[in-house]
Amino acid sequence: MFTQNINVIDRLQTPFTLMPNDLDEELTIIWNIGAISNVKVDGHEIEIGKNCILFVSEFYMKLEALSGTFRVIKFNKTFINPIDSLKNTGEYLMIFYGLHTVDHLPKIMLNEKEVIIFETLWQDLLLEIKNINNPISEALTRNSFQRFLLLSQKNHAVTEFDIPIDFKDLRLIREFQYLVNTNFKDLMKVSDYASILKISPKKIAEVFGCCYNKKASELIADRRNLYAKRQLMHTDELIKNIAYELNFSDSQAFSHFFKKQNRMTPDEFRTNSKTV
């Protein structure tokens, strides 16, 4: 079932592959409604149980569902709040940007009571999206979806983390990740993001040092590198133009950055990706 900015699929049979898209800022939610299944994220296999819901941001190159039956929501960020500020839109999307690594996607596991609540929200989505061109139905769809996201965040904050972390610190990490994902082309320093968040770069370093396996600066570099790899793999864009998009001073500076991240030049990476 489609509208311009959201696609709700009630039952998607495996196998299927999802490729996060930089161009349309699309995010994906995957709800396993069958038996224990497996997904691969950039080649790392992850087992997920029944009524486990995954939240897939743009930080991944490729997600493959190998077995099972899934519900899927693919949506553009603008659907959440088409006329409001990016900050308020981000309030609904924080679950996508947290303490995750490639083999540890943000996820929640629904208990019996939560399944009933989420099932009701899902059926509301399916009902209203049939008449999405009606402004009232569109508003109802958006409200149901916003509630889905907020309840997911509540579950995630309570159950997912097994390390001692203050809620304010968790929020800071999520806000930082979200800002990186929306500003990585232009903002390259931790101090740039600290300024937006109105905190010191030292505070960001302390939070990430306590509960994350990477420095904040490395997360910025990772996101810029991911965009570069996608452009090299899936487009014929000139390397100098990719360097320009990412605000490098010239192609040489971009190549130096890329080789440090990937142990090969952009040309070598593009050639290798064509032969895989």
Side-chain angles (χ1 to χ4, degrees), residues 17 37 55 63 74 105 115 129 208-209 244-245 249 251 268:
T17 300
S37 304
F55 299 84
L63 184 146
K74 294 176 71 68
L105 282 172
V115 167
I129 206 170
F208 277 83
Y244 176 79
E245 269 195 278
S249 57
S251 298
E268 290 169 342

Side-chain angles (χ1 to χ4, degrees), residues 169 172-173 176 189-195 197-211 214-217:
D169 291 343
L172 171 60
I173 289 170
F176 181 85
K189 298 179 180 179
V190 174
S191 58
D192 296 329
Y193 296 95
S195 178
L197 293 167
K198 294 182 171 55
I199 59 175
S200 69
K202 182 179 179 181
K203 175 61 177 175
I204 294 177
E206 288 175 353
V207 171
F208 277 83
C210 289
C211 52
K214 285 192 176 184
K215 297 178 181 178
S217 57

Side-chain angles (χ1 to χ4, degrees), residues 45 77 128 152 225 228:
E45 191 164 320
K77 294 174 185 177
E128 297 301 338
S152 297
N225 183 52

Side-chain angles (χ1 to χ4, degrees), residues 12-14 16 32 34-38 66-70:
L12 185 60
Q13 298 292 337
T14 50
F16 62 84
N32 179 23
I36 294 175
S37 304
N38 293 294
L66 308 177
S67 61
T69 303
F70 294 85

Side-chain angles (χ1 to χ4, degrees), residues 49-60:
K50 184 177 181 179
N51 288 318
C52 178
I53 304 178
L54 302 179
F55 299 84
V56 187
S57 73
E58 310 94 320
F59 281 97
Y60 305 99

Side-chain angles (χ1 to χ4, degrees), residues 19-26 58 76 184-185 223 227 230-231 234-235 237 245:
M19 307 287 287
N21 193 328
D22 276 304
L23 300 179
D24 60 13
E25 295 191 315
E26 190 174 69
E58 310 94 320
N76 190 288
F184 67 89
K185 291 182 183 179
R223 187 62 183 94
Y227 181 82
R230 285 181 180 159
Q231 293 297 95
H234 304 303
T235 77
E237 192 66 72
E245 269 195 278

Side-chain angles (χ1 to χ4, degrees), residues 107-157:
K107 64 181 181 295
I108 62 174
M109 179 65 72
L110 304 181
N111 60 34
E112 291 183 8
K113 291 182 179 179
E114 289 168 334
V115 167
I116 295 172
I117 296 171
F118 276 76
E119 181 68 33
T120 299
L121 285 172
W122 186 267
Q123 295 306 322
D124 288 344
L125 281 172
L126 293 178
L127 178 65
E128 297 301 338
I129 206 170
K130 292 178 181 178
N131 303 305
I132 197 70
N133 292 325
N134 180 314
I136 295 176
S137 289
E138 181 176 346
L140 289 170
T141 301
R142 183 174 292 109
N143 288 341
S144 293
F145 188 44
Q146 288 172 344
R147 181 168 171 76
F148 186 101
L149 291 171
L150 290 176
L151 287 174
S152 297
Q153 286 194 51
K154 181 181 178 181
N155 176 298
H156 190 245

